[in-house]
Amino acid sequence: MKLISSNKDNSNYCIIFKLNILEDINMFFDWNEGDKIIKHFLDFFNQNKVLYKHEGSKFFLIEKKENMDSFIMKIKKEIYKLDLFKIYNLENSFKILYIKDSFSADYNSLFKQIKIIEEEIPSKRGIQIYDLNNNVYAVYYKKNIIKNLLLKNDISGLYAVFQPKFNLDDNSVIGAESLCRWYIKDFGNLSPVDFISIAEKIGKIDIIDFKIIEETFIFINYLLKNNYSLSKKLFSFNVSLCSLEKVDFIKRLNSLIKKYEIPTNLLEIEITETVLAIPNNSIINKLIALDHSGITISIDDFTMGNSSLRLLNLFPIKTIKLDKSILDLIESNYILGEIIYKNLINLFRDLNLNILSEGIETKNQLTFLINNNVKSGQGFIFSKPLLKDDFLKLFKVG
């Protein structure tokens, strides 16, 4: 395989052109028209440069680093000069990707890297230019690995951590929220920010939801069998809109409840405002059924969405978890934060809803909440999310 930089000169860049419009021209006109465009670029690159055809409408060449900015500008001008949209009345879509050749030894390796990144970049009308440096590749490489694991249902590294919830009056533990983490060998421990959006995009969020639900039930079962006091405590877990929409959601959940012998009065399902924004009768009926079975339903990360407030009465909600972003206003703009938070507190009390404050991090925030008679909360001022063994230290036996 020919080396990209046989003289080991790391100042070279590989420039990749993806002429998306070329495929449409070949399809709707004929191959001769497409060949004219290729010939145009061959003539343009004929000065001591070789234009390589990789696959389909993808071409590449090697260029020196010091010439990159001016060279890219020349390419843009040349594309505009062709005026293909006017001639063919097709979307004028080009991708220009350039990448330093020093982190790939041969063309095959390079294009594998390009393919991973390119799949994440949607084609748009016009000229798209991307500098695919090492950091960009690393981000897309990680996304690609995560996506492939999810597509194979391989979430063996996924595990639950437990963030304690506290009574703000006496600092006693009143329960925990189960949160997910994912250990992948190449990347270490990943937070939900790294993988939840990918799972949602490819329709695999439900396997994550049920893995964490089962981890939570296993832990509760352990606590019960070892005589830990769970009186008046709630263990909550997040359930996505995608999972709720599954026809067999309640059946799967009840199966796990039965398997691990979990009293439903210990369980709390946290849904997001996204669920409230879509008044789906099937989902509403499922949540009502769960409420009737003894499971508490709460809204997680509540902000100030008008649609959420408007539809709140349709759902069997018992608790509102006020989002950290609202509490943070107490630090950045106290007067505004106080007005918003106090009004929300009064509103939810009038609606006979429990209130839990999320993301408590400072003494100032905690003092504000106590002074306004908020009884429960969670946040780093009390505890970060804990592994099972660390969480056990917070509970008494008997």
Side-chain angles (χ1 to χ4, degrees), residues 3-5 9-17 50-52 54 58-65 68 71-72 75 95-104 106-111 113-114 130-133:
L3 292 178
I4 290 176
S5 182
D9 180 358
N10 290 341
S11 66
N12 284 344
Y13 275 73
C14 180
I15 304 174
I16 293 89
F17 306 89
V50 179
L51 182 66
Y52 300 89
H54 174 54
K58 193 181 294 181
F59 302 83
F60 68 97
L61 58 84
I62 306 301
E63 178 61 24
K64 289 287 184 181
K65 177 181 178 181
M68 280 303 299
F71 191 60
I72 291 293
I75 296 170
K95 280 184 185 176
I96 302 173
L97 310 99
Y98 60 98
I99 190 165
K100 196 170 183 179
D101 71 355
S102 59
F103 71 82
S104 180
D106 58 55
Y107 292 138
N108 277 344
S109 298
L110 176 67
F111 281 108
Q113 294 165 352
I114 294 297
Y130 299 92
D131 180 358
L132 308 180
N133 57 55

Side-chain angles (χ1 to χ4, degrees), residues 299 302 312 317-322 348 353-356:
I299 301 176
F302 190 93
L312 198 57
I317 304 300
K318 293 289 194 298
T319 300
I320 300 289
K321 297 184 70 177
L322 291 175
F348 295 132
L353 295 169
N354 299 317
I355 300 166
L356 184 142

Side-chain angles (χ1 to χ4, degrees), residues 75-269:
I75 296 170
K76 286 179 68 175
K77 287 179 181 178
E78 205 64 25
I79 292 172
Y80 282 126
K81 192 188 297 182
L82 287 170
D83 205 4
L84 298 175
F85 179 72
K86 183 177 180 181
I87 296 171
Y88 298 104
N89 196 29
L90 293 170
E91 291 289 322
N92 190 5
S93 176
F94 293 87
K95 280 184 185 176
I96 302 173
L97 310 99
Y98 60 98
I99 190 165
K100 196 170 183 179
D101 71 355
S102 59
F103 71 82
S104 180
D106 58 55
Y107 292 138
N108 277 344
S109 298
L110 176 67
F111 281 108
K112 283 179 183 177
Q113 294 165 352
I114 294 297
K115 186 175 178 60
I116 287 171
I117 300 171
E118 192 182 9
E119 286 176 353
E120 301 292 330
I121 302 174
S123 293
K124 300 176 183 177
R125 182 177 173 180
I127 301 172
Q128 300 169 268
I129 300 175
Y130 299 92
D131 180 358
L132 308 180
N133 57 55
N134 280 329
N135 292 333
V136 171
Y137 171 68
V139 169
Y140 286 118
Y141 174 73
K142 181 164 74 172
K143 285 184 177 181
N144 190 257
I145 293 294
I146 291 169
K147 182 170 74 172
N148 287 334
L149 287 172
L150 288 168
L151 288 171
K152 293 187 292 186
N153 292 335
D154 182 0
I155 54 170
S156 56
L158 198 77
Y159 62 96
V161 291
F162 302 90
Q163 182 158 35
K165 302 179 203 176
F166 289 84
N167 181 314
L168 301 190
D169 288 335
D170 59 15
N171 288 351
S172 61
V173 177
I174 57 174
E177 178 183 4
S178 299
L179 302 167
C180 56
R181 300 291 185 267
W182 195 352
Y183 177 79
I184 299 177
K185 185 178 180 181
D186 289 347
F187 312 117
N189 291 299
L190 302 180
S191 76
V193 173
D194 293 307
F195 55 84
I196 291 297
S197 61
I198 299 172
E200 289 175 335
K201 185 177 179 181
I202 62 175
K204 288 291 185 177
I205 190 66
D206 62 306
I207 66 171
I208 292 177
D209 284 349
F210 272 97
K211 176 69 180 289
I212 297 305
I213 289 171
E214 185 160 17
E215 290 250 334
T216 304
F217 289 4
I218 291 170
F219 187 45
I220 296 173
N221 179 271
Y222 174 87
L223 292 170
L224 291 169
K225 287 186 175 180
N226 287 275
N227 297 317
Y228 284 86
S229 176
L230 301 185
S231 175
K232 296 182 181 179
K233 292 180 173 60
L234 282 178
F235 290 82
S236 62
F237 47 88
N238 294 280
V239 175
S240 65
L241 175 61
C242 177
S243 292
L244 280 171
E245 288 175 332
K246 299 287 184 182
V247 175
D248 63 346
F249 173 75
I250 289 185
K251 182 179 179 181
R252 290 173 68 185
L253 183 65
N254 285 337
S255 176
L256 290 174
I257 290 172
K258 184 177 180 181
K259 178 180 179 179
Y260 294 104
E261 302 175 309
I262 307 298
T264 54
N265 67 324
L266 295 178
L267 302 179
E268 180 178 37
I269 288 178

Side-chain angles (χ1 to χ4, degrees), residues 354-396:
N354 299 317
I355 300 166
L356 184 142
S357 183
E358 293 187 295
I360 309 170
E361 294 183 349
T362 68
K363 288 184 179 179
N364 192 35
Q365 291 172 337
L366 181 58
T367 300
F368 169 81
L369 294 168
I370 292 172
N371 290 342
N372 284 279
N373 206 29
V374 176
K375 296 297 184 182
S376 55
Q378 64 188 77
F380 282 13
I381 194 169
F382 296 110
S383 174
K384 65 180 181 179
L386 302 171
L387 294 170
K388 293 177 184 178
D389 289 345
D390 294 321
F391 190 85
L392 287 175
K393 297 172 186 176
L394 300 174
F395 275 101
K396 293 180 181 178

